[in-house]
Amino acid sequence: MPNTPDTSTLNQLLDQLKEAEVSERNQARLHGQAKPRLSVEMEDPIGWVSLFGYDPQRYFTDPLFYLEQQLRQKLWRFENINDDVPLNSWVPAWLGHYPEYTFFGLGLGVRSHGGPILQTDHPLTRAPDLSLLGPVDFRTSGWMPRMLHWYEDLLALADGRVGIGFFGWNRGGFDIAVQLRGYENLLFDTTERPEFVHGLMKRLVEERCRWCTAAAAYLGTEVGPTAIADDWVACPYVSPGIFADFILPRYLEIEAFHGALVGFHSCGDQAPFHEHLLQIKPLNGFEVSPWMDLGQALANVPESKHLHLFVHPNDVVVDSPETMLAKLRAKAEKLCGTNRSFTLGTSGLTPIQGERAF
């Protein structure tokens, strides 16, 4: 008979979570009308590994430990970070940022500090040949067996006491194309063999849509609005011309398939693409990352669109309060006199060793 896991710690953490959820402090966050809304993000798992000192390999292989640690992290965040984000009873069945890379035969791992290990020598780096990519099967490709087991194990452990979120296919296609082909190869391809790049991008989006259809069937839901995260889609890595020719058409296909594309994330400078991104009509929120000029975003993006302003992690964990305040006041001066709807947040934070960052 298999060993029954000891869930006593999990039960204690669940009780603490429920108690914190109904607390006056959390209810104030749930019903608060703070403007701008403030959110503070921790880099997962790197920041949490630094803070709690656990093994990320265990975090991503032991479902009981993962669920317990997710609850610890939620409670720590609620107690130690005074922002406007309410506590909730929801945990993602997460295995890092890049599981969809494995669907195309790319190896993926995690470093001891929590950072990813990405394979860089896929056969496609040596030959621009789409026949090297097999079809994506929802049940068997890459990490899919592991992902399905992970989700079902977490559902069983949660037993309805917290919601478990299934995986999403986050990448819009370009990040995967770079990892498969190599950045320099892919840039040369855009001029030397553009039809290959179009074919690769189209293939990746087609597989994404097929996977999302299968995921909805598995969950008993419908395909609905989605968001995209493509970190390589940033200047100077990608020019506006490459974005318009090779990337935007695929994003518009994703929008048509899902009915709405409601979010786009890139850690870098998106400003040169704003005129193209505005063709995605349901995209009502635009990120202003620490690597973007706020003034340029204000000039490019209509006031009817919401802005998500993010500060650099160093502005929070390194800067003095006086320096931090000066930087925020500089942003406020640019926003003053506009009718702009915006939120203010941090990029993922990582505590500094030997210091308490919060």
Side-chain angles (χ1 to χ4, degrees):
M1 235 178 120
N3 293 328
T4 302
D6 180 0
T7 58
S8 57
T9 299
L10 175 63
N11 293 334
Q12 292 172 10
L13 289 165
L14 285 165
D15 289 343
Q16 292 175 40
L17 179 69
K18 296 300 181 183
E19 182 179 346
E21 269 196 293
V22 299
S23 68
E24 184 176 334
R25 182 182 182 194
N26 198 50
Q27 293 306 304
R29 294 188 185 189
L30 277 169
H31 304 294
Q33 300 296 321
K35 289 187 179 180
R37 185 173 178 271
L38 175 66
S39 64
V40 176
E41 303 300 329
M42 185 76 83
E43 187 67 28
D44 192 1
I46 298 173
W48 297 118
V49 168
S50 176
L51 188 66
F52 284 92
Y54 59 79
D55 178 2
Q57 288 283 359
R58 184 185 180 193
Y59 185 61
F60 287 136
T61 56
D62 181 340
L64 178 58
F65 176 78
Y66 172 86
L67 186 53
E68 290 174 350
Q69 191 57 40
Q70 279 276 330
L71 298 180
R72 288 188 189 97
Q73 291 165 190
K74 290 167 83 71
L75 289 164
W76 185 94
R77 188 192 186 288
F78 179 67
E79 292 298 328
N80 291 276
I81 297 178
N82 187 26
D83 63 4
D84 299 314
V85 179
L87 195 64
N88 60 43
S89 292
W90 184 85
V91 172
W94 196 63
L95 287 170
H97 292 293
Y98 308 104
E100 58 266 52
Y101 286 29
T102 70
F103 304 164
F104 300 96
L106 283 164
L108 179 61
V110 63
R111 302 182 189 279
S112 60
H113 62 69
I117 302 170
L118 300 175
Q119 181 183 347
T120 58
D121 62 347
H122 188 277
L124 207 65
T125 62
R126 298 184 288 277
D129 182 356
L130 292 182
S131 69
L132 294 170
L133 298 179
V136 173
D137 185 283
F138 181 78
R139 294 282 177 177
T140 63
S141 289
W143 276 10
M144 277 310 307
R146 175 183 176 184
M147 291 160 66
L148 291 167
H149 281 301
W150 190 247
Y151 175 66
E152 289 161 7
D153 286 347
L154 291 172
L155 280 179
L157 287 167
D159 194 25
R161 295 170 292 178
V162 291
I164 303 296
F166 192 64
F167 299 86
W169 185 311
N170 294 322
R171 306 295 146 177
F174 194 75
D175 275 10
I176 302 175
V178 169
Q179 205 62 37
L180 288 168
R181 181 73 177 125
Y183 172 69
E184 292 182 354
N185 287 341
L186 193 64
L187 284 194
F188 281 121
D189 290 339
T190 61
T191 59
E192 296 177 356
R193 49 184 73 84
E195 290 309 310
F196 165 76
V197 182
H198 284 301
L200 175 59
M201 289 294 296
K202 192 168 184 65
R203 172 72 175 278
L204 295 174
V205 169
E206 287 171 351
E207 295 293 350
R208 185 188 200 273
C209 293
R210 288 179 57 250
W211 186 93
C212 290
T213 298
Y218 168 74
L219 296 169
T221 59
E222 300 291 333
V223 172
T226 193
I228 285 173
D230 267 336
D231 283 328
W232 278 103
V233 181
C235 273
Y237 304 110
V238 171
S239 70
I242 288 176
F243 181 83
D245 291 345
F246 297 98
I247 300 172
L248 179 62
R250 306 288 80 83
Y251 284 5
L252 293 173
E253 287 179 357
I254 292 172
E255 176 201 356
F257 175 78
H258 283 271
L261 179 54
V262 296
F264 172 68
H265 166 75
S266 171
C267 289
D269 185 2
Q270 305 170 22
F273 314 132
H274 279 153
E275 64 173 307
H276 304 300
L277 286 168
L278 286 167
Q279 296 181 42
I280 305 171
K281 301 304 181 185
L283 188 59
N284 289 321
F286 284 72
E287 291 185 3
V288 182
S289 80
W291 295 271
M292 286 178 64
D293 177 66
L294 174 56
Q296 190 65 58
L298 291 170
N300 293 350
V301 179
E303 281 197 350
S304 60
K305 304 289 188 179
H306 183 86
L307 295 183
H308 304 282
L309 276 60
F310 292 97
V311 300
H312 194 282
N314 285 354
D315 296 345
V316 180
V317 298
V318 175
D319 282 351
S320 68
E322 294 77 16
T323 301
M324 191 187 311
L325 183 59
K327 290 180 179 179
L328 292 174
R329 279 180 171 160
K331 293 182 187 295
E333 287 173 3
K334 291 182 179 180
L335 290 158
C336 187
T338 71
N339 294 316
R340 184 71 62 172
S341 168
F342 69 96
T343 52
L344 179 65
T346 69
S347 296
L349 303 183
T350 299
I352 299 172
Q353 186 175 5
E355 296 184 15
R356 187 169 180 80
F358 305 101

